[in-house]
Amino acid sequence: MRLLPCLSFLLLAAACVPLGTPITDPNGTATSQRPPEYYADRTLRYEDYIYDPDIKSVQCYVGTGVNTQIFQPPVVPLGQSRGIVLEFDLLGEQSERLTTKLIHCDVDWKPSVLTDLQFLYEINEFLITSYQTSVGTKTPYYHYRTTAPATKLSGNYLWVVQNGAGVPLLSRRLVVYENQVQVSLAPGIPPGGEQRYTLQQLDFSIGYGSMQLVNPAVEVKVVLRQNFRWDNARYGLRPTFVRDADRRLDYQYFNYENAFPGLSEYRFFDTRSIQAAGLSVQRINAKVAPTTVLLVPEIPRGTTAYNQYVDANGQRVFESREYGDGRYNADYAATTFQLKSDQPAPGPVYVFGALSDWRLKDEFKMEYNEATQTYTATALLKQGYYNYDFAVAGANGPNETYFEGTHQQTENNYDLLVYYRPPGTRADLLIGYQMVAVNSRQ
């Protein structure tokens, strides 16, 4: 489900943050009238998270200078971390003094014991100096932009934005890698019958002929991701074959440990113009503040055949077709989603994707109307082109297959991260990285 070369075609049709203890239960007690995810103490979470409801439209990517750069995940080789860009909006008419800092983390995204100067070249507090007020918008906001500092070590980093009181406003995960091992990642064939038509399996191997690894079968740790998502990443994978003579680890599973639902190409809508209805937009009312947008009713795809088209793998791009630069000229609109369903789902239903940080967020929770047999949800979203799908909350997390179905033919990106902690050291290094596109449309 990759946009990349087809982007143009498709679009035309100053204190430190307290470390604390990571919160693992997202269903905390609500404070005031804010959604339950916003906590009074805003304890830092070591994950992609927004701590303030006035923070909107967060994008963290590798700035390549091309039109598709916003779809490049924050993954860079060691020595190029300054290429990672963070952009976001702060709603309101008053700017704030905001700073950022990096926290070095272990492979399981817990803070490491390293001191700041062991992984950075400078003091770990960076003032955001690039920001601009919105122009010509009904919803006032300030748009902030900054770049990541250079790092000395490969591995996992949590990038935190904080206000003048040291309170976190948002956090983003970024990774820095060095290719010290040879990673081979390729699509495989899931064992079994029906799964061959619904799952996508990734087989891979790690060659360590040029690096001395101690007990690699145990000490080498891998993370396998679909579309650069952390919420459904595969952890704890162990090699199925250890080939000491070839100095290679093979990972070829038979119980679907390294298989993902292929899902369907993502749904989409286009609100880059508020003067005329774009793709999947039913009605626009620009006479109210904020502007309201009603999307066309969607239908479940759980039992329908696969439909091929180019998408953006759940991502979104902000732009205004009326005038100016989408970063600070695009306005916000109260956008209403509609999903037809003959009966209620077996759990709460959410609009899901990069627009929700790949989380089941209260502002994207849908309500079911039995009279019209329709789910609806309204969220304040910046003008742009969006991908999304519908997910049902379940015991094992978001269930995207209930309304979306799953197909082996779907285009998806997968990447593999290989970690290793050398003996006597205190940091998990990212010693290998590779990305592969399954069912690429190129």
Side-chain angles (χ1 to χ4, degrees):
M1 295 179 285
R2 187 170 56 182
L3 199 59
L4 299 182
C6 302
L7 176 66
S8 58
F9 168 78
L10 181 59
L11 294 181
L12 289 175
C16 296
V17 179
L19 295 183
T21 302
I23 296 177
T24 56
D25 178 13
N27 301 313
T29 303
T31 60
S32 180
Q33 296 182 356
R34 290 178 172 178
E37 60 184 328
Y38 298 114
Y39 294 85
D41 60 2
R42 297 190 188 179
T43 303
L44 184 65
R45 297 169 179 241
Y46 296 90
E47 56 190 71
D48 294 345
Y49 202 81
I50 296 176
Y51 305 84
D52 191 304
D54 291 334
I55 298 294
K56 299 287 186 181
S57 307
V58 181
Q59 289 181 309
C60 188
Y61 59 92
V62 176
T64 60
V66 297
N67 290 337
T68 56
Q69 64 180 357
I70 57 173
F71 302 116
Q72 302 299 317
V75 180
V76 292
L78 184 63
Q80 298 184 23
S81 55
R82 287 193 182 276
I84 299 180
V85 178
L86 177 66
E87 298 190 63
F88 61 93
D89 293 340
L90 175 62
L91 300 186
E93 299 180 348
Q94 182 64 46
S95 64
E96 291 189 34
R97 181 184 185 276
L98 305 181
T99 60
T100 69
K101 67 176 299 182
L102 282 184
I103 300 175
H104 186 270
C105 296
D106 297 336
V107 62
D108 54 359
W109 289 100
K110 295 180 180 180
S112 72
V113 296
L114 298 182
T115 63
D116 291 346
L117 291 181
Q118 287 180 302
F119 60 86
L120 288 177
Y121 294 95
E122 47 197 321
I123 301 299
N124 195 6
E125 185 174 83
F126 307 90
L127 179 66
I128 302 180
T129 58
S130 177
Y131 59 93
Q132 182 170 339
T133 183
S134 60
V135 178
T137 62
K138 298 175 183 177
T139 301
Y141 62 88
Y142 275 81
H143 180 78
Y144 289 79
R145 185 181 189 275
T146 188
T147 57
T151 61
K152 297 179 181 179
L153 299 176
S154 63
N156 293 342
Y157 291 90
L158 188 73
W159 199 4
V160 183
V161 176
Q162 55 196 18
N163 62 19
V167 177
L169 300 181
L170 71 94
S171 55
R172 281 296 179 268
R173 297 177 178 184
L174 59 88
V175 295
V176 179
Y177 69 90
E178 47 188 331
N179 283 321
Q180 299 190 49
V181 294
Q182 294 74 48
V183 181
S184 176
L185 177 66
I189 300 178
E194 290 298 322
Q195 285 80 1
R196 295 193 177 200
Y197 306 102
T198 61
L199 300 182
Q200 294 177 341
Q201 177 161 313
L202 282 298
D203 296 330
F204 55 95
S205 65
I206 301 171
Y208 54 97
S210 59
M211 185 178 184
Q212 293 296 325
L213 301 182
V214 178
N215 195 10
V218 175
E219 298 302 328
V220 170
K221 300 179 181 180
V222 299
V223 178
L224 184 62
R225 303 190 300 175
Q226 181 189 60
N227 294 327
F228 315 115
R229 293 167 53 178
W230 292 104
D231 64 297
N232 64 350
R234 300 289 191 267
Y235 290 85
L237 300 176
R238 294 300 181 186
T240 49
F241 302 100
V242 180
R243 307 187 186 278
D244 291 329
D246 298 329
R247 299 181 64 79
R248 189 175 80 244
L249 304 175
D250 287 340
Y251 298 75
Q252 299 177 7
Y253 291 98
F254 303 96
N255 293 318
Y256 313 112
E257 292 95 330
N258 55 342
F260 293 77
L263 301 177
S264 298
E265 310 297 350
Y266 282 89
R267 303 173 192 264
F268 57 88
F269 66 90
D270 187 350
T271 56
R272 291 175 296 157
S273 172
I274 55 176
Q275 302 299 323
L279 294 172
S280 301
V281 175
Q282 178 173 304
R283 185 169 64 250
I284 298 175
N285 184 357
K287 297 181 180 180
V288 296
T291 297
T292 60
V293 172
L294 179 65
L295 302 182
V296 299
E298 298 285 343
I299 62 173
R301 303 186 292 181
T303 59
T304 61
Y306 171 70
N307 184 17
Q308 177 180 327
Y309 54 87
V310 179
D311 70 355
N313 286 348
Q315 298 297 319
R316 70 271 197 264
V317 56
F318 306 120
E319 186 179 351
S320 171
R321 279 293 177 88
E322 272 68 55
Y323 71 97
D325 191 315
R327 290 175 295 179
Y328 39 81
N329 292 129
D331 207 347
Y332 279 81
T335 305
T336 299
F337 298 81
Q338 301 186 86
L339 172 63
K340 304 294 290 185
S341 180
D342 294 339
Q343 59 186 3
V349 178
Y350 295 81
V351 180
F352 194 67
L355 78 175
S356 69
D357 276 347
W358 301 107
R359 304 179 63 87
L360 302 179
K361 302 181 72 172
D362 274 15
E363 61 188 294
F364 293 98
K365 186 176 181 179
M366 310 191 78
E367 299 294 334
Y368 186 69
N369 186 319
E370 293 186 0
T372 61
Q373 296 184 325
T374 305
Y375 278 100
T376 59
T378 301
L380 188 66
L381 298 175
K382 197 173 186 179
Q383 283 182 263
Y385 172 83
Y386 286 78
N387 274 190
Y388 71 98
D389 64 14
F390 297 107
V392 179
N396 298 320
N399 178 359
E400 297 171 81
T401 63
Y402 184 86
F403 284 116
E404 305 302 338
T406 177
H407 308 276
Q408 187 277 332
Q409 304 99 310
T410 304
E411 191 275 332
N412 287 295
N413 288 325
Y414 293 89
D415 62 347
L416 182 72
L417 302 94
V418 183
Y419 297 87
Y420 176 70
R421 178 176 295 194
T425 64
R426 303 184 297 169
D428 293 319
L429 304 179
L430 184 52
I431 61 172
Y433 177 81
Q434 188 178 13
M435 188 273 288
V436 65
V438 174
N439 298 323
S440 174
R441 305 308 181 206
Q442 295 187 18

